[in-house]
Amino acid sequence: MSKKYKIGYALCGGGAKGFAHLGAIKVFEEHHIRPDVIAGTSAGALAGVFYADGFAPEEIAELFRGHRMTDFANLSLFSGGLLKPTGVAEMLRKNLRAHSFEELRIPFRAIATNWETAQITVFSEGKNLVEAVIASCNVPMVFEPIEIDGVQYVDGGLLKNFPVSVIRDETECVIGVNLMRLHEFTPTKSVKATAFRYYDIISKLNVKEDIAATDVLVDMDGLHEYSMFDLKSIDDIIARGYKRTSEVFASAEVVQKLKL
């Protein structure tokens, strides 16, 4: 039996490494591939919501070029995190054309973690579009939890960093872009570096089943040198994403799966 959607994109979280999604999407477009549904976690949710709203990859990149992390977050004290994602919220509200999930051009799923029940939450409808994307990106300890309808949420990467299973049952072909390869270990006494190492380990461990469930997998490499908030290397990261995806799509097996 045919499923609801023919092609779906599953976009992994990974901080600034998420700009590699834009390079991947450029390759997809060159092969005339368009998604019927998009699921995104964290950085994948940011890239995914703008693409679902009709933005081209280059337009999405331009929204971030020339900015620093401080442009998207404010210092937060005694609120459960070091930063408040107020700048991200402002940027989303200013640039998104859609004001609800229903107004997006492509059906979109944003994955977050319910901070109270420790369960995955998939946002896919309603007017809380901006809040849902912010929730999906809210790395614990770095950002304070965001409250939606009386419930606190944090980064979806804690439990579902690679959201293939979110759209698997309703999609014939899931194209997944995975960013999470465990970095080489470097001993450190930095609290920040320790937090990021913890996040890398958690994120990598919860992608295994989703990798196995992907029809076409773009497993990114060469991104280990970029930090979570590296906004100075946007074009380099996009270029690496483009190169790796081009290599994957040069495979005859991939072409056959997509019937290009």
Side-chain angles (χ1 to χ4, degrees):
M1 295 180 62
S2 62
K3 297 185 178 182
K4 184 177 182 180
Y5 302 114
K6 182 177 180 180
I7 293 178
Y9 292 172
L11 306 180
C12 180
K17 299 178 186 66
F19 290 111
H21 289 311
L22 305 184
I25 291 172
K26 285 184 178 182
V27 176
F28 300 158
E29 290 186 340
E30 290 175 0
H31 286 85
H32 307 291
I33 300 170
R34 295 283 181 175
D36 302 299
V37 64
I38 300 172
T41 297
S42 199
L46 268 177
V49 73
F50 279 114
Y51 195 65
D53 199 36
F55 283 74
E58 181 59 28
E59 292 175 321
I60 300 171
E62 191 60 31
L63 294 174
F64 294 89
R65 286 195 183 100
H67 286 284
R68 298 176 297 177
M69 184 58 198
T70 52
D71 296 330
F72 296 113
N74 296 325
L75 187 64
S76 173
L77 298 176
F78 313 113
S79 61
L82 297 175
L83 303 171
K84 291 183 179 181
T86 48
V88 181
E90 182 180 348
M91 186 268 287
L92 286 166
R93 291 193 176 96
K94 178 180 178 182
N95 292 286
L96 283 175
R97 305 168 184 119
H99 297 95
S100 68
F101 280 88
E102 289 78 7
E103 292 179 8
L104 293 169
R105 297 186 182 184
I106 301 170
F108 171 68
R109 316 279 188 261
I111 291 78
T113 299
N114 185 315
W115 197 224
E116 300 174 21
T117 65
Q119 294 177 317
I120 297 167
T121 297
V122 179
F123 292 99
S124 61
E125 59 184 17
K127 295 184 178 181
N128 58 0
L129 178 61
V130 169
E131 291 78 8
V133 173
I134 295 172
S136 184
C137 301
N138 256 20
V139 179
M141 296 184 287
V142 178
F143 293 107
E144 65 178 21
I146 181 172
E147 188 171 298
I148 301 175
D149 296 330
V151 179
Q152 289 191 334
Y153 295 94
V154 297
D155 196 317
L158 285 182
L159 299 176
K160 182 58 64 175
N161 201 46
F162 193 26
V164 175
S165 64
V166 172
I167 56 174
R168 174 70 282 173
D169 290 344
E170 57 184 349
T171 308
E172 292 181 20
C173 179
V174 177
I175 303 174
V177 182
N178 176 40
L179 309 175
M180 296 311 299
R181 289 193 172 192
L182 197 61
H183 297 175
E184 181 179 347
F185 176 68
T186 302
T188 178
K189 294 183 180 180
S190 163
V191 174
K192 177 181 176 182
T194 299
F196 289 166
R197 179 67 178 179
Y198 168 80
Y199 180 75
D200 279 352
I201 291 173
I202 293 297
S203 299
K204 183 179 184 297
L205 288 175
N206 72 43
V207 304
K208 291 183 178 180
E209 291 183 1
D210 290 284
I211 286 176
T214 308
D215 294 299
V216 176
L217 175 65
V218 179
D219 203 2
M220 293 291 178
D221 56 12
L223 301 179
H224 62 277
E225 64 191 76
Y226 303 108
S227 68
M228 182 175 288
F229 301 124
D230 188 351
L231 297 182
K232 296 180 181 179
S233 305
I234 291 175
D235 292 314
D236 288 342
I237 297 172
I238 292 173
R240 294 200 180 196
Y242 181 91
K243 180 177 182 295
R244 176 57 182 155
T245 308
S246 296
E247 292 170 351
V248 172
F249 272 63
S251 163
E253 182 181 356
V254 169
V255 173
Q256 181 59 32
K257 284 183 178 181
L258 293 170
K259 298 180 180 179
L260 300 176

